[in-house]
Amino acid sequence: SLRMRVLQEKKLRILRKTRISEGDLAYAGGKLSVIIRRDGEIESEVRYRDGRLTIHYPRLQRAEVVDVGAGAGVPGGGGGSFLPIFAGDPKEMKKDHEIRLVRRAGEPRADGPAWMLDVLVLTPRDPKSPVKRIEMAFENFEMKEYVQVDSSGDETRMSITSAEQNVAVPDERFTGELPEGTVVVPLDGSPRRKQ
């Protein structure tokens, strides 16, 4: 199991300036939950469980649902690109991604010089993938940063501010009903309102 606190920076083409939020991630037993907050309010909730990825935007009353399957991607590079580490067997990533490992300097520290990071760069093999590139930066095998660059030009950067391994994560963290009135948008179908 794993818990992380993150600082998220989003550069969206439709926004003039970078959107900065904070949040936390929990992972246990093949289930993932990411909650992002801005100004104390939940901006988005991502849940992955039993082959289904749900991205809920409470303020927009909208949820996007992707059936990822048991480690398989969906057409157009969906699940395999969005969750290359958490969905399925990481050893299978080569099927869906070109993988490179590069080294780069991290940010300078107050108590000394910049440190070196090992950066895992994943490029989806599917040319129709909505994700152009994913980068995961590690220092001494601990993840420090996650960057996702979309084909649209949008970019999301998550800096890990703290992490704990082998912690108890209650199962309720990975469950939850969508509120009444939420418009559910499946990847391969038209919007439908939750009743």
Side-chain angles (χ1 to χ4, degrees), residues 57 65 70 82 134 154 185 193:
Y57 303 96
V65 178
F82 292 128
I134 292 172
D154 293 345
V185 182
R193 189 168 293 278

Side-chain angles (χ1 to χ4, degrees), residues 40-89:
E41 187 176 344
I42 294 177
E43 186 173 84
S44 64
E45 294 178 273
V46 176
R47 288 192 178 105
Y48 173 76
R49 181 182 184 134
D50 301 325
R52 174 165 278 203
L53 173 68
T54 303
I55 307 168
H56 178 219
Y57 303 96
R59 287 185 65 197
L60 300 176
Q61 293 186 302
R62 175 185 170 99
E64 297 168 354
V65 178
V66 180
D67 284 317
V68 178
V74 294
S81 294
F82 292 128
L83 300 169
I85 293 292
F86 297 107
D89 185 351

Side-chain angles (χ1 to χ4, degrees), residues 11-187:
K11 296 178 184 175
L12 305 176
R13 292 184 323 152
I14 61 170
L15 299 178
R16 290 184 182 166
K17 59 183 187 175
T18 302
R19 188 175 181 89
I20 299 175
S21 311
E22 62 180 4
D24 59 274
L25 175 150
Y27 177 78
K31 297 169 290 206
L32 173 70
S33 168
V34 183
I35 299 174
I36 301 295
R37 294 175 183 83
R38 188 164 189 259
D39 299 326
E41 187 176 344
I42 294 177
E43 186 173 84
S44 64
E45 294 178 273
V46 176
R47 288 192 178 105
Y48 173 76
R49 181 182 184 134
D50 301 325
R52 174 165 278 203
L53 173 68
T54 303
I55 307 168
H56 178 219
Y57 303 96
R59 287 185 65 197
L60 300 176
Q61 293 186 302
R62 175 185 170 99
E64 297 168 354
V65 178
V66 180
D67 284 317
V68 178
V74 294
S81 294
F82 292 128
L83 300 169
I85 293 292
F86 297 107
D89 185 351
K91 294 175 186 172
E92 298 291 313
M93 283 192 297
K94 287 184 180 181
K95 289 182 181 177
D96 296 324
H97 300 86
E98 176 187 313
I99 301 173
R100 292 182 301 124
L101 184 64
V102 297
R103 297 204 87 200
R104 71 171 164 82
E107 295 293 323
R109 292 181 170 166
D111 60 346
W115 67 100
M116 294 304 292
L117 296 173
D118 294 305
V119 183
L120 188 65
V121 181
L122 306 175
T123 306
R125 294 186 187 279
D126 184 348
K128 296 178 184 173
S129 173
V131 177
K132 182 178 180 181
R133 183 178 74 252
I134 292 172
E135 297 180 5
M136 289 174 279
F138 297 86
E139 179 189 14
N140 296 326
F141 302 103
E142 287 185 20
M143 188 185 289
K144 295 295 183 183
E145 188 177 72
Y146 174 95
V147 178
Q148 179 174 306
V149 180
D150 294 337
S151 299
S152 65
D154 293 345
E155 180 179 313
T156 302
R157 179 180 305 270
M158 286 189 185
S159 302
I160 289 90
T161 57
S162 68
E164 298 175 277
Q165 296 179 12
N166 303 319
V167 293
V169 181
D171 199 55
E172 298 81 50
R173 174 70 193 252
F174 308 106
T175 59
E177 290 293 318
L178 294 172
E180 294 292 329
T182 301
V183 175
V184 178
V185 182
L187 180 68

